[in-house]
Amino acid sequence: MRRPRRPTGWPRLRLVSLGTTFAVSFAAVTAAVTLLIGLLSYSAAARLVRVDQETVFDEVVQDLRDEVRGTAMAPEDFSSAAPGHDIVRPARTDVQVLGADGSVVDGGNPGLPVVAADRRIAAAATAGEMALHKDVDVGSDVYRVATVALGGGRGAVQVAQEFSDTEDLLRALQQRTLVLMAAVVTAAGLFGWWLARRITHRLVILTAAAEDVARTRRLGVQVPVTGQDEVGRLGRAFDRMLGRLAQSEEDQRRLVQDAGHELRTPLTSLRTNISLLRRIDELPPDTRDELVADLTQEARELTDLVNELVDLAAGQSDTEPPRALDLADLAEEVAAAVRRRTGRRIVVRASGDTTTDGRPQMLQRALSNLVENATKFDREGREPVEIAVKGPARPGVVRVEVLDRGPGIAETDLTRIFDRFYRAADARSLPGSGLGLSIVREVALSHGGAPFAVRREGGGTVIGFTVGGGF
């Protein structure tokens, strides 16, 4: 089923940098929080102001009702010229006095509208009756008006409080709140942009280094990233990764060069002997047999060399899952296999706890290489080859040793026998490629251990490796 094609007129989403994303996100979160707090603060303040104004107005009206109920009063008592009644005229409060017929006896400032309900209250017989009017427009202002009856049909008093000033104040507060919110959001955006640049600056350096490696394929690049946070750790991990990749590349290059050098010798010998095959009919029978034996031996050595190269390359892979195993049991299996193949006496000695976590095939290959190496160099075979598996000298570490009574290894060669293709001078006449001990080293290192080789007291060599310590 074909996917519908996007119309060409649709805009493409452009990728933005991490710094921009961080700055925008920081500003967006700040804007949302500021907006929420601003709205809640404004709503609370407006409610408090309105409630306060209404409370003041209600108290003034209630005082007036209590006064007219307690004392029979006439419209003249509330005249603006009459002393003692300014108490009903607080700030932003307007008072207007009505006669019995609802006419204005003493006008307010400004004058308040008089409607039928107000005239009815003015003629009311009961003192304290009230008519309340909300949102009364007086000129350009808005008032709240309460008309209170004096009783006995003597008239009424109108008390009005201006609310438009309060709303103007609240609108000014709202505008200032919006301006302040905009300033906070702008400042948050600028701060977020600065903070994002500061945080992502090292990521930019790390990205540039990665792009440079991808473009030039040069792994020897130093990553100038500092700090103890996650970015610093990432930079150091990337630097170590590049170092290991560079080392791996160098090892591969050196392996190819060394392998090419080692392969030339048997291949040259094979080509020489193959050229002699063209004149095999002219050769004496003994020479023919010697030629065939040489070809067989060279093919075998070439096969062993190729197999060891494959083992060396595959030995570094982690495809074989580690599991718990007993190295003493593994040594017994290796000893039995070498006995059948060579007929030599192989003795296994184990002490302590020899269990560990490892990859069985890799460890078996390493141990087989050591035992076969010992049988090859100890050609007389007067004493058995010994395999010693020793329990942990320190927690989790098992030591494996192979002891022989061969000619031993010179002190100058002890530090180099684990190098690839290295062969001591007295071993170059013997078959082999110089890769067996290299495989032992790779297996030991991949299991958190290390190889070792020492001269054995009384003659011979002790070669082995340790396993454990985490891998």
Side-chain angles (χ1 to χ4, degrees), residues 295-338:
L295 285 172
T296 303
Q297 179 64 26
E298 288 161 359
R300 184 182 299 110
E301 290 183 3
L302 186 60
T303 300
D304 292 341
L305 177 59
V306 171
N307 289 337
E308 287 181 337
L309 284 172
V310 172
D311 288 340
L312 186 62
Q316 301 178 24
S317 91
D318 297 336
T319 55
E320 183 185 6
R323 64 177 179 83
L325 54 88
D326 191 335
L327 284 180
D329 294 341
L330 190 65
E332 291 286 359
E333 295 176 6
V334 171
V338 176

Side-chain angles (χ1 to χ4, degrees), residues 377 404-410 414 424 426 455-456 459-461:
F377 284 96
D404 64 62
R405 287 298 182 183
I409 302 175
L414 283 175
D426 56 356
R455 293 172 62 85
R456 187 180 183 187
T461 309

Side-chain angles (χ1 to χ4, degrees), residues 180-236:
L180 180 61
M181 289 168 55
V184 170
V185 172
T186 303
L190 294 175
F191 178 75
W193 176 79
W194 173 83
L195 185 62
R197 282 182 59 86
R198 182 177 178 85
I199 293 176
T200 61
H201 176 67
R202 290 174 294 165
L203 289 177
V204 171
I205 295 176
L206 188 60
T207 302
E211 291 174 346
D212 184 62
V213 171
R215 183 178 63 257
T216 63
R217 296 188 179 182
R218 291 186 295 105
L219 299 176
V221 176
Q222 293 294 327
V223 182
V225 176
T226 58
Q228 300 300 321
D229 57 3
E230 288 78 0
V231 178
R233 290 167 52 195
L234 176 62
R236 287 189 291 275

Side-chain angles (χ1 to χ4, degrees), residues 86-379:
D86 289 341
I87 191 172
V88 298
R89 302 174 185 268
R92 302 210 314 271
T93 300
D94 189 17
V95 176
Q96 182 169 276
V97 183
L98 304 180
D101 57 355
S103 61
V104 178
V105 174
D106 188 359
N109 185 23
L112 302 176
V114 179
V115 297
D118 299 325
R119 288 189 286 270
R120 179 181 59 79
I121 291 297
T126 304
E129 284 194 35
M130 182 182 69
L132 182 63
H133 309 288
K134 296 181 179 180
D135 300 330
V136 178
D137 293 328
V138 180
S140 59
D141 299 322
V142 178
Y143 284 77
R144 189 180 186 192
V145 181
T147 304
V148 178
L150 297 177
R154 293 189 296 271
V157 178
Q158 287 185 304
V159 180
Q161 187 177 43
E162 182 182 352
F163 281 91
S164 56
D165 285 350
T166 302
E167 297 302 321
D168 291 341
L169 176 64
L170 293 177
R171 278 193 292 270
L173 177 62
Q174 185 182 49
Q175 292 174 357
R176 292 186 179 183
T177 302
L178 292 176
V179 171
L180 180 61
M181 289 168 55
V184 170
V185 172
T186 303
L190 294 175
F191 178 75
W193 176 79
W194 173 83
L195 185 62
R197 282 182 59 86
R198 182 177 178 85
I199 293 176
T200 61
H201 176 67
R202 290 174 294 165
L203 289 177
V204 171
I205 295 176
L206 188 60
T207 302
E211 291 174 346
D212 184 62
V213 171
R215 183 178 63 257
T216 63
R217 296 188 179 182
R218 291 186 295 105
L219 299 176
V221 176
Q222 293 294 327
V223 182
V225 176
T226 58
Q228 300 300 321
D229 57 3
E230 288 78 0
V231 178
R233 290 167 52 195
L234 176 62
R236 287 189 291 275
F238 186 72
D239 194 42
R240 290 194 297 269
M241 180 189 68
L242 288 180
R244 291 186 179 182
L245 287 175
Q247 182 63 43
S248 177
E249 186 180 51
E250 175 62 22
D251 291 344
Q252 291 179 2
R253 185 188 62 79
R254 185 158 51 88
L255 176 62
V256 171
Q257 291 178 348
D258 293 344
H261 175 74
E262 293 296 324
L263 286 170
R264 289 191 188 98
T265 300
L267 288 175
T268 300
S269 180
L270 278 174
R271 283 197 300 268
T272 301
N273 287 331
I274 289 173
S275 65
L276 291 176
L277 287 176
R278 297 178 179 176
R279 298 186 296 109
I280 193 170
D281 294 336
E282 304 174 8
L283 299 177
D286 293 342
T287 304
R288 294 179 188 176
D289 294 340
E290 184 178 348
L291 177 60
V292 172
D294 286 345
L295 285 172
T296 303
Q297 179 64 26
E298 288 161 359
R300 184 182 299 110
E301 290 183 3
L302 186 60
T303 300
D304 292 341
L305 177 59
V306 171
N307 289 337
E308 287 181 337
L309 284 172
V310 172
D311 288 340
L312 186 62
Q316 301 178 24
S317 91
D318 297 336
T319 55
E320 183 185 6
R323 64 177 179 83
L325 54 88
D326 191 335
L327 284 180
D329 294 341
L330 190 65
E332 291 286 359
E333 295 176 6
V334 171
V338 176
R339 290 190 199 104
R340 290 192 300 269
R341 188 161 54 248
T342 64
R344 293 288 300 273
R345 292 175 56 203
I346 311 294
V347 177
V348 178
R349 293 185 287 105
S351 61
D353 184 8
T354 57
T355 59
T356 186
D357 291 333
R359 299 180 174 90
Q361 293 182 8
M362 293 176 64
L363 291 172
Q364 186 178 36
R365 176 63 174 171
L367 190 54
S368 297
N369 286 355
L370 291 178
V371 177
E372 290 176 356
N373 198 64
T375 59
K376 180 173 66 176
F377 284 96
D378 187 7
R379 283 169 288 182

